[in-house]
Amino acid sequence: QVQMVESGGGLVQAGGSLRLSCAPSRSIFNINLMGWYRQAPGKQRELVATITSGGSTNYADSVMGRFSISRDNAKNTVYLQMNSLKPEDTAVYYCNGRRQTISTTFNYWGQGTQVTVSS
């Protein structure tokens, strides 16, 4: 079974930066949409940012202007550059890859990586 594998989380002070990376555990053909979601304790998982294979991006209002999503299609790798981090960004960040065929949508998730921002 394919999983997304995240890396790059950690502990950082408010105002600092982190860069998350994610790639599938094995090669997958044509991942149409890749993205990052996060879940803070006691809260629902929420969308952070997504990017299509063509490079179109979408961001949550709370991270607009601070976070930047990018991808390397040749490597099926997605990145999340997080700048000006705030304590409220503390969460487990999950990577998602979505592949759409004519009849089926495949969703691939990672185990998550912890991001902790201290005040």
Side-chain angles (χ1 to χ4, degrees):
Q1 187 170 351
V2 178
Q3 281 194 327
M4 306 302 285
V5 181
E6 305 103 336
S7 62
L11 173 64
V12 64
Q13 288 189 331
S17 298
L18 282 174
R19 188 183 191 226
L20 306 182
S21 300
C22 171
S25 56
R26 64 170 177 82
S27 179
I28 304 173
F29 176 71
N30 197 23
I31 300 180
N32 309 99
L33 187 70
M34 302 186 81
W36 292 94
Y37 294 73
R38 67 186 181 187
Q39 187 167 18
K43 295 187 177 181
Q44 288 189 330
R45 190 174 297 189
E46 63 177 3
L47 180 145
V48 176
T50 60
I51 184 168
T52 68
S53 56
S56 296
T57 58
N58 179 50
Y59 294 93
D61 289 344
S62 59
V63 306
M64 189 81 70
R66 299 187 298 120
F67 290 12
S68 178
I69 189 170
S70 60
R71 65 186 284 175
D72 183 334
N73 287 331
K75 299 179 181 179
N76 267 341
T77 301
V78 63
Y79 307 96
L80 186 68
Q81 179 66 43
M82 304 184 293
N83 299 327
S84 302
L85 283 160
K86 304 175 181 179
E88 50 263 44
D89 294 317
T90 295
V92 177
Y93 283 70
Y94 296 91
C95 174
N96 172 261
R98 185 178 304 170
R99 185 167 71 92
Q100 183 76 46
T101 68
I102 293 175
S103 58
T104 307
T105 299
F106 297 89
N107 263 303
Y108 308 102
W109 288 96
Q111 297 287 335
T113 185
Q114 177 71 46
V115 172
T116 302
V117 185
S118 63
S119 57

